Amino acid sequence: MPGTFNGTTLTISATPVDGALIPDKSATNVAGIAIVGSDMYCVKTTGIKTTLLKTADYTTTEATTVKKDLNWFALGLTKIGNYLYMLAEDHKGYGGSTTIVKLDTKGNQLGTYNIKNICPNGALGITAADGTNEKFIIMHYTGSNNAGTLTFSVVNWKESDAECTFTVVNSGFGYTTQLQDIYYHTSFGLFILTNNTFSTLQNRILVVDYHLTDDNGKKYTPSTVINVNKTGAYKQYNLESICMKANHLVLASNVVTSDGTTEDKFSVLEGITYAGKTYTFACGFKAGARVPTRVDPNYATTNLGCVSFKGSIPYFIKQSKDTVGVLGYCSDYMNTAAKPIPVIAHTNGLLGHANGMSCFDNRFYVVAGDNKVVALNCNSGKEEAVYTITPASLRLKAINYFYETNTALLLSIENGKMLLYKCTFGDTKKPSAVYLGTIENPGQPVSQDIFYHNKYGLFVGTCNANLAAQNVVTTKNTLLHYDLKKLSTKTSLYPDFGFVTNMPAKNAEGQVYNSFELESVALDTNTKKLAAVCNVNVKKSNSDTTLVSMDGFFQYNTIEFI
């Protein structure tokens, strides 16, 4: 799933997976979808005649008619409880009679709420604001000529004025867009569905980190842009409506095949998963140079624990039994034939488990266990200082430069929680760490290392626990992203997205993966991609018990940092 990240907006591409058909020859335009219970409802409209349809399984079961000839021009659909709310006009067009129509699931009209005073030029999308009260977010109608800024209002049923109004930047993300629909999720924010001209098969979803507690009048920039493009024999593939079910985005589309056949249908973005408060998506992961057990021929080392760039060259530490730690580097690290070069071997346990390392102030700072950090000379790798960080309760896991003089960001794992600190390394050998906040790690088993960049934010590498002893394949790793700017108003921070790397059963040589642990990441400013080091064990076959180390460098090769 290719994409770019500029520190503010993540842009990725996804392909919709086709689901069930939405048939109805008397109505041609899918205008909205919503889920009540286990059923998916949708409205299709032609002129001022609308049909309500439903299906129990939008992936395989064709939608069937619930009620025909609703006398409205439908523009959107949402639900609250067991009721449907349709955004509509009493004529074909936008503005003048914009109305929210309340329906039961049989299509019976239960009430109307005219919002023409709030949206005098019309509206093009409706979504429930909290799912409990009759409160809605409405997207105002905007023509394609002035769609650079989108306007939204929060309205309560039968209230004469909007509760609040905010805007969203809709320029600078690609093609000029036609607005289609919106969907709001209390954890993930506001989704805005758009598409290009009918024949280009190009669609786009803007995701805004908007929540109902935010200030009135605020202007938002999308946190994520999902380009949803379709290839194949189509004259048209326009996404028209959006909602969420089973942790995935569900869409309804107007489809015209190359021979002119209408095949309106549901579709799903399976490559993106929404769970808890975090969404994750698949990211390409490419293998590079191996880091063998004997980087230094005099010592056998088994754990490739950390990576940090000095200029354009990645340095690493590979250690064994928390006693021997070898500092080395690999200039051409994405060349599978490249040979890592050892710099120095510390054999006195100085570097401990060497969980994390960061290069700044012409030193490598290495987390060496509990509350100890060791500074190594960047050129020789020799010891320059050993710091005992206070408080003594710290159980340091990772370190990264914090873009302040001699200052690093520290990750401490205490009582199962991930706590962030910052610490300035000066003349004293016992510097004090300052607590910044707690970062949550929902659904991810083991936290490994951190990488921080003042533009791109904080990344935390996670992996499944190493179950090689139980002969269990563990190849799923997730790199979580956090926006540290939010710590100014919060003491507990949730990740906003994550890159998932699901490794195949076998590597390029046909060897079976037995375990695959993401250990550490760092940004290569030359390639503008993230480099990683991983501990990897393979075997010849599923029945074989002999494990062979394939530790080495990898790259998140489908995400570019711009």
Side-chain angles (χ1 to χ4, degrees):
M1 190 171 286
T4 61
F5 184 53
N6 64 8
T8 300
T9 302
L10 174 71
T11 301
I12 55 178
S13 296
T15 301
V17 178
D18 290 341
L21 290 174
I22 309 172
D24 191 343
K25 294 182 179 179
S26 64
T28 57
N29 185 61
V30 178
I33 54 175
I35 298 167
V36 179
S38 60
D39 292 325
M40 174 76 76
Y41 289 82
C42 63
V43 285
K44 291 186 70 173
T45 189
T46 294
I48 57 170
K49 295 294 183 180
T50 292
T51 301
L52 177 68
L53 303 96
K54 76 170 184 177
T55 177
D57 184 0
Y58 61 89
T59 61
T60 59
T61 306
E62 183 175 299
T64 58
T65 298
V66 175
K67 191 163 188 173
K68 296 177 69 68
D69 295 335
L70 296 170
N71 291 318
W72 295 97
F73 173 50
L75 298 168
L77 188 71
T78 190
K79 72 99 179 187
I80 298 174
N82 293 321
Y83 298 103
L84 297 166
Y85 295 82
M86 180 173 64
L87 183 68
E89 301 273 356
D90 64 6
H91 64 286
K92 187 177 181 181
Y94 305 101
S97 64
T98 309
T99 302
I100 301 174
V101 183
K102 184 175 182 179
L103 305 169
D104 64 17
T105 53
K106 295 181 179 180
N108 298 312
Q109 184 171 309
L110 305 178
T112 60
Y113 169 28
N114 190 294
I115 58 171
K116 64 180 180 180
N117 292 334
I118 297 173
C119 303
N121 297 318
L124 259 176
I126 183 172
T127 182
D130 60 19
T132 303
N133 302 303
E134 288 184 309
K135 180 186 290 188
F136 309 91
I137 301 173
I138 305 294
M139 178 168 62
H140 292 229
Y141 173 75
T142 301
S144 59
N145 293 331
N146 57 347
T149 299
L150 308 180
T151 302
F152 298 83
S153 290
V154 177
V155 301
N156 288 285
W157 185 258
K158 296 300 184 182
E159 292 286 338
S160 58
D161 298 314
E163 181 177 298
C164 70
T165 298
F166 60 93
T167 59
V168 173
V169 176
N170 185 38
S171 58
F173 307 111
Y175 46 80
T176 301
T177 56
Q178 301 176 124
L179 306 182
Q180 295 296 352
D181 194 21
I182 57 176
Y183 172 75
Y184 177 68
H185 191 286
T186 54
S187 293
F188 303 112
L190 181 66
F191 295 76
I192 306 165
L193 179 60
T194 74
N195 51 46
N196 205 353
T197 54
F198 292 140
S199 61
T200 59
L201 314 183
Q202 294 176 322
N203 302 271
R204 192 180 69 185
I205 301 169
L206 305 179
V207 188
V208 180
D209 190 20
Y210 165 79
H211 299 280
L212 288 176
T213 56
D214 288 346
D215 293 336
N216 182 27
K218 188 171 181 180
K219 187 174 185 178
Y220 291 88
T221 297
S223 58
T224 306
V225 174
I226 307 172
N227 291 316
V228 187
N229 300 328
K230 189 73 172 177
T231 58
Y234 299 105
K235 287 185 176 180
Q236 178 179 320
Y237 200 105
N238 272 25
L239 299 179
E240 298 287 338
S241 190
I242 181 172
C243 66
M244 190 180 293
K245 186 176 176 65
N247 298 334
H248 295 289
L249 290 176
V250 180
L251 305 149
S253 53
N254 285 328
V255 180
V256 180
T257 63
S258 58
D259 63 2
T261 303
T262 300
E263 290 186 350
D264 296 352
K265 59 185 64 179
F266 297 104
S267 59
V268 184
L269 294 187
E270 292 185 340
I272 309 173
T273 301
Y274 294 83
K277 295 185 178 182
T278 306
Y279 73 92
T280 56
F281 62 96
C283 184
F285 210 45
K286 183 180 179 182
R290 287 187 58 197
V291 180
T293 301
R294 291 189 177 272
V295 180
D296 185 317
N298 298 308
Y299 304 99
T301 51
T302 57
N303 184 63
L304 180 58
C306 51
V307 65
S308 182
F309 277 85
K310 176 190 172 187
S312 61
I313 299 175
Y315 283 72
F316 62 86
I317 293 175
K318 193 167 185 180
Q319 59 84 27
S320 186
K321 298 181 179 179
D322 296 2
T323 302
V324 176
V326 177
L327 175 70
Y329 67 92
C330 187
S331 300
D332 193 12
Y333 70 96
M334 286 311 296
N335 179 354
T336 56
K339 304 296 182 182
I341 306 299
V343 174
I344 191 172
H346 292 275
T347 60
N348 56 357
L350 174 72
L351 304 182
H353 199 64
N355 264 322
M357 176 172 66
S358 185
C359 179
F360 60 96
D361 189 31
N362 202 35
R363 289 173 165 182
F364 289 115
Y365 287 84
V366 183
V367 170
D370 291 339
N371 61 333
K372 185 173 75 171
V373 173
V374 177
L376 305 177
N377 183 279
C378 261
N379 297 315
S380 66
K382 294 181 179 180
E383 172 191 341
E384 288 198 349
V386 177
Y387 297 93
T388 302
I389 316 296
T390 59
S393 60
L394 292 176
R395 296 296 177 263
L396 297 180
K397 183 76 171 179
I399 185 171
N400 203 97
Y401 179 48
F402 200 46
Y403 295 83
E404 297 175 7
T405 304
N406 298 336
T407 301
L409 186 68
L410 301 173
L411 176 67
S412 179
I413 309 296
E414 302 171 29
N415 299 318
K417 294 185 177 181
M418 296 196 299
L419 307 181
L420 282 179
Y421 295 82
K422 74 172 182 177
C423 182
T424 299
F425 296 88
D427 296 331
T428 177
K429 296 300 177 63
K430 293 185 177 182
S432 296
V434 177
Y435 173 72
L436 297 178
T438 300
I439 56 176
E440 303 292 340
N441 184 20
Q444 310 301 327
V446 178
S447 303
Q448 295 287 69
D449 192 19
I450 63 173
F451 169 72
Y452 177 74
H453 191 282
N454 63 339
K455 178 180 179 182
Y456 302 119
L458 176 68
F459 294 87
V460 178
T462 71
C463 74
N464 286 352
N466 186 352
L467 301 177
Q470 288 87 353
N471 199 34
V472 177
V473 177
T474 57
T475 58
K476 181 178 180 179
N477 299 271
T478 304
L479 185 65
L480 300 172
H481 176 267
Y482 299 80
D483 183 358
L484 289 194
K485 298 183 183 70
K486 295 180 180 178
L487 277 180
S488 60
T489 57
K490 301 178 181 179
T491 58
S492 184
L493 194 61
Y494 281 85
D496 42 20
F497 62 82
F499 308 150
V500 176
T501 53
N502 286 314
M503 305 306 296
K506 298 179 181 181
N507 64 12
E509 289 75 34
Q511 298 164 313
V512 177
Y513 284 122
N514 187 75
S515 62
F516 198 113
E517 293 180 89
L518 172 66
E519 291 286 342
S520 183
V521 297
L523 181 66
D524 184 340
T525 55
N526 282 348
T527 64
K528 297 181 180 179
K529 294 181 178 180
L530 284 172
V533 292
C534 300
N535 282 324
V536 182
N537 284 320
V538 299
K539 52 188 180 180
K540 291 182 179 179
S541 65
N542 289 324
S543 59
D544 191 13
T545 58
T546 303
L547 300 181
V548 178
S549 172
M550 294 290 287
D551 299 353
F553 287 94
F554 291 79
Q555 182 187 72
Y556 289 88
N557 64 317
T558 56
I559 296 293
E560 183 180 5
F561 291 76
I562 59 176

